[in-house]
Amino acid sequence: MGLHVGDKAPEFALPSSAGGEVSLAGLRGKKVVLYFYPKDNTPGCIKEACGFRDADAELNEAGLVVLGVSADSIESHDKFAAKFGLDFPLLSDAEKIVSIAYGAWGEKNVYGKKTIGMKRMTFLIDEEGRLARVWPRVKPEGHAREVLEAALAA
């Protein structure tokens, strides 16, 4: 099944590396890039996060709020963000409730082996809380640019 463009984005409220909680309801009226990634400080996740960091000025100019989500702890997120100068919140979904709601937690294929874990997926959520674009399989390299172009075209 899964989520599709036009669907209402599942609500969430998660602890943030920026402090406190971030909720989708609190971001109503803004375009949100919600990207799920497997693990802090791993090669693909570093590339993807640094891509969003490097495109920060353009993403902000386009009115986009970028949020990264993994099952890692806030402490892990804090270290990851500090090490790579990430200037957007990383949200901790340790219970995997939000990841499951978005279809980002489940069976995946890693180097030919089936495993259960966080899938690399991205959702562009419009100002009304609806899905404007869904990337079910993401390649980390160049993904931030791809998201920016899609948001500008929407």
Side-chain angles (χ1 to χ4, degrees):
M1 190 170 132
L3 296 172
H4 302 93
V5 170
D7 288 350
K8 185 171 177 1
E11 292 292 335
F12 63 83
L14 291 170
S16 167
S17 62
E21 265 191 356
V22 172
S23 70
L24 185 58
L27 295 168
R28 200 71 78 231
K30 298 180 180 181
K31 288 183 183 174
V32 176
V33 176
L34 187 67
Y35 84 92
F36 292 86
Y37 66 98
K39 188 138 186 63
D40 291 341
N41 289 303
T42 56
C45 298
I46 292 167
K47 276 184 195 166
E48 187 175 18
C50 289
F52 281 112
R53 176 203 64 202
D54 295 346
D56 185 59
E58 292 169 284
L59 292 162
N60 285 335
E61 192 174 304
L64 297 169
V65 175
V66 175
L67 303 170
V69 181
S70 81
D72 293 312
S73 68
I74 288 298
E75 293 77 23
S76 175
H77 285 343
D78 287 343
K79 290 176 187 171
F80 183 44
K83 184 175 182 178
F84 294 99
L86 306 180
D87 46 7
F88 52 86
L90 299 176
L91 308 182
S92 177
D93 188 19
E95 310 269 323
K96 299 156 194 94
I97 293 167
V98 175
S99 304
I100 290 168
Y102 278 84
W105 182 266
E107 187 176 281
K108 61 182 187 171
N109 197 335
V110 180
Y111 302 113
K113 182 180 173 189
K114 289 194 185 217
T115 183
I116 301 292
M118 189 71 76
K119 301 174 191 175
R120 192 179 304 280
M121 301 176 76
T122 300
F123 299 86
L124 177 61
I125 303 168
D126 71 15
E127 297 88 343
E128 285 81 45
R130 298 214 166 268
L131 299 177
R133 182 81 190 266
V134 176
W135 288 269
R137 281 178 225 75
V138 169
K139 288 188 169 55
E141 193 101 25
H143 183 55
R145 174 78 32 213
E146 182 182 22
V147 170
L148 178 61
E149 289 171 5
L152 292 172

